[in-house]
Amino acid sequence: MKIPALMVVLLTGGLLIYAAGDFPQWADPSAPAHQHVSPYYLENGAAQTGAPNIVTAVLADYRGYDTMFETAVIFSAGVVCFLLLRVSQREDRRELTYRHRIVGMTIRVTAGLDSPPVLEEFERLDRHWTPQDLIIRNGCRLLIPFIQLFALYVIAHGHHSPGGGFQGGVILGASFILLAISFDLRTALERMQEKVHGILGPVGVLIYAGTGALCLLLGSNFLDYGALAPLIGGDKVMARSHGILIVEIGVGIGVMATMIWIYNNVSSRGRYEEGL
Amino acid sequence: MIWQLDLAILTLVVVAAVAAITVRDLLGAAIVFGAYSFMMCLLWAVMGAVDVAFTEASVGAGVSTVLFVAAVFRTTRRTKD
């Protein structure tokens, strides 16, 4: 069975390499892909949408319908992870381990597990022995605010530089994942509870679809942000520029929440007790 | 475009792609896949597709590697085939 499979793979690969010779040269202006709508976008994009970055203009305005469903696909990936993995019952544990924050002494609690002690100077450990990684913790504590600031910059500055809702949302979600890795899952859940990121995911998609529906209500086409001009103020180009920004914020919120959702469910076996 | 650099990156892409599917250790495969994503990100940036390169770096090399590592940590590290 292995040899026929290898033959098929080699044959297909050879055909692909043979066919690649017929492709137009890289960055050839007369290539078929650059003949259809690309010249129109390049010539009118910045003037019509107020976004000098053509990629953002195409992604969020001209092809906004595609991007809306891309956001919905990412959100549904989060929903599937939640439905498959999330278990509501708590893990049956015989004993819990706590460490005194100041002395570093570790204690094991085996009796009276119904109400585990919540004391300021004790921290719960996930495994029997967890090193006190002072450098990693304080390094991440220093880094995370700057990562989040950069993510917000990427979302807000997508009109002028590479970036946008997807990338910014992923970086924002990664900062929370870094918090969960460098500290533990409980610390990250104190900052953003399960309810919060569970609600923010659909809210992001709703912001996108709601902007489109608002354009529809104002008597224009779905996702034609020019119709928002009376609400926002300014002319049509300004309204389209702001419409792109609103949509990017929606994408950013949705993607951030979904990334945190997937990570929390995968890393804690759906129990939200202890992460990696 | 510097062709020596291009050749080196393309070779590394092929090596990483083959290694990612042949390595028995799934944690290693996840890391090699992250390296593959970084090489692809460099290629996109060289070709001028900066937005795609940014997405590849943040999604492909950043978050998906973390999600793979989390999944490997919670399942098994060895493949059967």
Side-chain angles (χ1 to χ4, degrees), chain A residues 119-157:
Chain A
L119 293 168
E120 272 292 309
E121 58 264 35
F122 282 99
E123 60 173 343
R124 208 185 118 188
L125 298 182
D126 285 343
R127 269 158 252 116
H128 289 297
W129 185 78
T130 313
Q132 276 180 308
D133 36 9
L134 193 72
I135 292 171
I136 290 177
R137 285 191 172 198
N138 284 319
C140 291
R141 186 182 281 170
L142 264 174
L143 269 177
I144 286 168
F146 292 104
I147 295 175
Q148 289 178 338
L149 203 61
F150 177 64
L152 294 180
Y153 164 79
V154 167
I155 294 178
H157 215 252

Side-chain angles (χ1 to χ4, degrees), chain A residues 26 53 55 154 162-163 167 170-171 177 259 262-263 266-267 269 274-276, chain B residues 1 46-48 50-52 54-55 58-59 63 66-67 69-71 73-74:
Chain A
W26 178 67
N53 184 4
V55 178
V154 167
Q167 293 94 326
V170 166
I171 296 171
I177 294 177
M259 288 302 150
I262 295 178
Y263 171 79
V266 169
S267 72
R269 285 203 197 92
E274 54 182 61
L276 288 185
Chain B
M1 212 188 323
V46 162
M47 285 192 279
V50 194
D51 277 88
V52 187
F54 200 172
T55 315
S58 61
V59 180
V63 165
V66 173
L67 293 181
V69 169
F73 190 78
R74 284 304 180 198

Side-chain angles (χ1 to χ4, degrees), chain A residues 9-261:
Chain A
V9 166
L10 284 179
L11 197 69
T12 317
L15 273 176
L16 281 174
I17 290 171
Y18 174 70
D22 280 348
F23 275 176
Q25 282 292 309
W26 178 67
D28 182 10
S30 60
H34 300 148
Q35 297 300 314
H36 184 45
V37 283
S38 302
Y40 177 79
Y41 291 156
L42 287 174
E43 282 160 15
N44 304 310
Q48 281 182 351
T49 64
N53 184 4
I54 298 296
V55 178
T56 304
V58 172
L59 211 69
D61 189 293
Y62 293 111
R63 291 279 175 267
Y65 200 57
D66 282 347
T67 314
M68 187 178 87
F69 281 103
E70 276 171 35
T71 320
V73 162
I74 290 187
F75 169 63
S76 54
V79 170
V80 166
C81 270
F82 173 76
L83 291 177
L84 283 178
L85 293 171
R86 186 79 174 97
V87 196
S88 56
Q89 88 246 26
R90 310 196 122 238
E91 214 159 352
D92 186 31
R93 297 174 121 241
R94 284 295 182 78
E95 55 183 40
L96 294 173
T97 318
Y98 292 87
R99 177 165 54 204
H100 196 260
R101 281 185 206 272
I102 302 150
V103 189
M105 192 178 63
T106 319
I107 56 164
R108 268 191 316 187
V109 182
T110 48
L113 274 182
D114 297 331
S115 55
V118 184
L119 293 168
E120 272 292 309
E121 58 264 35
F122 282 99
E123 60 173 343
R124 208 185 118 188
L125 298 182
D126 285 343
R127 269 158 252 116
H128 289 297
W129 185 78
T130 313
Q132 276 180 308
D133 36 9
L134 193 72
I135 292 171
I136 290 177
R137 285 191 172 198
N138 284 319
C140 291
R141 186 182 281 170
L142 264 174
L143 269 177
I144 286 168
F146 292 104
I147 295 175
Q148 289 178 338
L149 203 61
F150 177 64
L152 294 180
Y153 164 79
V154 167
I155 294 178
H157 215 252
H159 287 59
H160 299 275
S161 62
F166 276 104
Q167 293 94 326
V170 166
I171 296 171
L172 205 55
S175 71
F176 280 96
I177 294 177
L178 182 63
L179 185 72
I181 290 177
S182 61
F183 287 75
D184 49 11
L185 193 63
R186 285 183 295 277
T187 314
L189 282 174
E190 276 168 23
R191 301 294 167 99
M192 180 167 281
Q193 290 175 358
E194 191 190 3
K195 257 184 220 161
V196 177
H197 63 244
I199 289 171
L200 281 182
V203 160
V205 184
L206 264 181
I207 288 176
Y208 204 132
T211 313
L214 196 62
C215 300
L216 211 60
L217 279 178
L218 289 168
S220 187
N221 287 323
F222 191 67
L223 288 172
D224 183 7
Y225 312 126
L228 298 174
L231 287 183
I232 295 174
D235 55 346
K236 255 189 152 179
V237 176
M238 212 56 210
R240 283 178 86 163
S241 178
H242 286 313
I244 292 176
L245 181 65
I246 296 168
V247 156
E248 297 267 29
I249 290 171
V251 172
I253 292 175
V255 170
M256 173 202 71
T258 309
M259 288 302 150
I260 300 171
W261 213 11

